[in-house]
Amino acid sequence: MTNLLPEGSAQQVAHAGTSSSGIAFLIAAAVFVPFFLRFRVSPVLGFLLVGALLGPFGLGRLEDLVPFLSVFTISQTQDVHQLAELGVVFLLFSIGLELTWERLKALRRMVFGLGVLQIVLSAAVLTGLFLLIGRSLGGAVAVGMGLALSSTAMVMPVLAERKRLNSPTGRSVFAVLLAQDLAVAPILITVVVLASGGSSFGISGLLTLIPAVVAMALLVIGGRLLMRPLFRSAAMAKSAELFMAACFLVVLVSGQLAVWAGLSMGLGAFIAGVLLAETEYRREIEMMVEPFKGLLLGLFFVTVGARLDFAAVMSEPVLVLGLTLGLILLKVAVVAPLARGFGLSWRGAVEAALVLAPAGEFAFVIIDEAVGRKLVPVGFGHAVIVSAIVSMFLVPLLAGIGARFNRKTAAAEVATSVAPAHVSEQVDVLVVGYGRVGELVADMLKRHDISFAVIDANARVASRARKDGVEAWYGDASHPDMLHRMGIDNVRAVVVTVSNAAFTDSVVTAVRQVRQDVGLIARARDANHAEKLYGLGVTDAVPETIEASLQLAENTLVDLGVPMGLVLASVHEKRDEFRQDLLKYAPDGRVPRILRTTKRSIRAVEG
């Protein structure tokens, strides 16, 4: 293959930068990670290993000997560093979408209690350790604060993969990670203050917080005023591209506003996500950003793995591995008792401590800042960063150990009041469409105290439903992913009320694709359409023409003086006759059910 390259092109390829990094990432995503998954290796660990293998300290070292390898290696991680960091930004944005102000309020004890104490005590213990090995006070404090933080980008996907996010342990870990994200800006400000010798710690130090406060206020106020109209406009355009562009605009603008104020880009995106969690567009936004979040997070993990310097580990194994082991043990020793004190079981506390023990991505930012401001020597800072990366490699392993250790009490934990769960959005019925028919169905469900949620592909209709006090979401119910986000796995029934026959067919097909056992009632245009819907697997199809005819017949018979009981019985019997005829087209040949109202009417007449 090398012979296919023109003369002199080898050097050009060696400096391809972003292109070669992109190819390396695609190799990781399309080849190596599926291979790891086959052997039940965490995708996160797979991306890290591929990054280490294809990075400048892996196969990248052989570029001079085999120039063509540069096409498949990551020679300069900074080539894709900013793009990779967007993975963390989109992760925090997605986390924000899962929260509301009420949920944040419910977690405040864990965020500002357990989370803040974990940061303060871990930083204090680590600072003491670095002072003992002869580091300066400023450098010890900076490195201690950096290593006190954990990796949101790694811990959250690993917990989600193990289905531990909604356990008390998972919610407690999330609360701590949220507190850590909020602490990044104050920590960076503290590093600046330490580098200046403490001379700016007084009023001028406090003044540095003013831009952050102003930026957050602008983000909250501006977001509440502008975000809903922005997404309504994009939704009314009926263009997936415009809606996606609106998502990217919100993430990038909110993140950039936070950066200008000295905060992390991820924190700005997180707040934007929290604001959008209150809107009817949340589910559609989640579906739009999910693929980009996954790809960019994978790229982030690849770049983290590419920073692992094997030579540094081999040249100073005692220092690097000692720092890694010491970091994990000290943080476990700090976090486990704290988590136990906040109500977790000992097993749950140990699990939380194990996943929070490794360092996080913000450690690189903080330590690099400390090195740049001469607080920490370059050599020691590099050794600390390498040990932090090694510890991040251990997150999937530590999470697995913690989950096995806590397996015996996992079921009992769910019933505890520790770290209150998110406000439940589980409903009994999912109503597709909120036109005249959907509104009537919703009203009847309310009267019988049956919980329900509405999804409508018309932004104005979804907004109107929200104004009526209905839990309504904008989105396309014919997409299986959207149905999953609407809680299709837990609902008892789905009612399709839309008048568009083709769309009804698509929704019915999608529902049956994800769940075969759920009750599925659909509105049909006529008997022919009802036959088709039964063939697609609906439980009941309600043809508009038949129901209108039955209602006309009922009113006519009553006006002619026929007793009401006889009329109701005959109408119900006729309806069941139609149903029996239509159910012959059902693929499973199920026996038509006789309505209980019919039986009661017949008994009343016979009596």
Side-chain angles (χ1 to χ4, degrees), residues 48 52 57 61 130 143 147 303-325 327-328 358-360 363-365 367-368 371 376-394:
L48 288 171
F57 306 109
R61 290 184 178 275
F130 292 124
V143 176
L147 295 180
T303 58
V304 169
R307 294 187 66 175
L308 181 58
D309 189 346
F310 297 102
V313 177
M314 299 304 296
S315 63
E316 295 185 276
V318 176
L319 177 60
V320 173
L321 298 179
L323 282 173
T324 303
L325 182 61
L327 170 67
I328 292 173
F364 307 146
V365 178
I367 294 171
D368 286 342
V371 170
V376 176
V378 175
F380 180 69
H382 182 65
V384 171
I385 287 178
V386 171
S387 66
I389 295 172
V390 173
S391 73
M392 291 174 71
F393 266 83
L394 299 176

Side-chain angles (χ1 to χ4, degrees), residues 137-203:
L137 177 60
V141 171
V143 176
M145 290 188 300
L147 295 180
L149 305 182
S150 308
S151 177
T152 303
M154 295 198 63
V155 171
M156 295 299 290
V158 169
L159 289 179
E161 179 189 347
R162 296 183 175 277
K163 303 187 186 307
R164 295 293 290 155
L165 275 180
N166 289 323
S167 68
T169 300
R171 293 193 294 271
S172 300
V173 168
F174 169 73
V176 173
L177 292 172
L178 178 55
Q180 292 178 357
D181 291 331
L182 294 172
V184 170
I187 289 175
L188 288 172
I189 292 171
T190 303
V191 170
V192 174
V193 171
L194 290 172
S196 64
S199 60
S200 61
F201 183 73
I203 296 177

Side-chain angles (χ1 to χ4, degrees), residues 464-524:
R464 174 172 61 83
R466 286 237 163 183
K467 291 177 182 177
D468 293 341
V470 173
E471 182 190 330
W473 304 94
Y474 165 75
D476 187 347
S478 65
H479 286 273
D481 187 45
M482 177 61 74
L483 292 172
H484 281 299
R485 294 182 184 280
M486 291 297 300
I488 187 68
D489 297 326
N490 299 312
V491 299
R492 294 164 54 195
V494 177
V495 185
V496 185
T497 70
V498 294
S499 59
N500 186 317
F503 184 67
T504 299
D505 297 346
S506 299
V507 173
V508 168
T509 302
V511 170
R512 281 294 175 241
Q513 180 180 337
V514 297
R515 268 195 75 181
Q516 290 291 328
D517 60 332
V518 69
L520 180 53
I521 302 93
R523 172 184 176 184

Side-chain angles (χ1 to χ4, degrees), residues 333-380:
V334 169
V335 176
L338 277 177
R340 181 70 183 100
F342 275 82
L344 285 177
S345 66
W346 268 114
R347 290 178 180 270
V350 171
E351 181 186 4
L354 284 171
V355 296
L356 290 170
E361 54 275 1
F362 288 118
F364 307 146
V365 178
I366 295 167
I367 294 171
D368 286 342
E369 182 75 17
V371 170
R373 294 182 178 274
K374 312 299 183 184
L375 273 176
V376 176
V378 175
F380 180 69

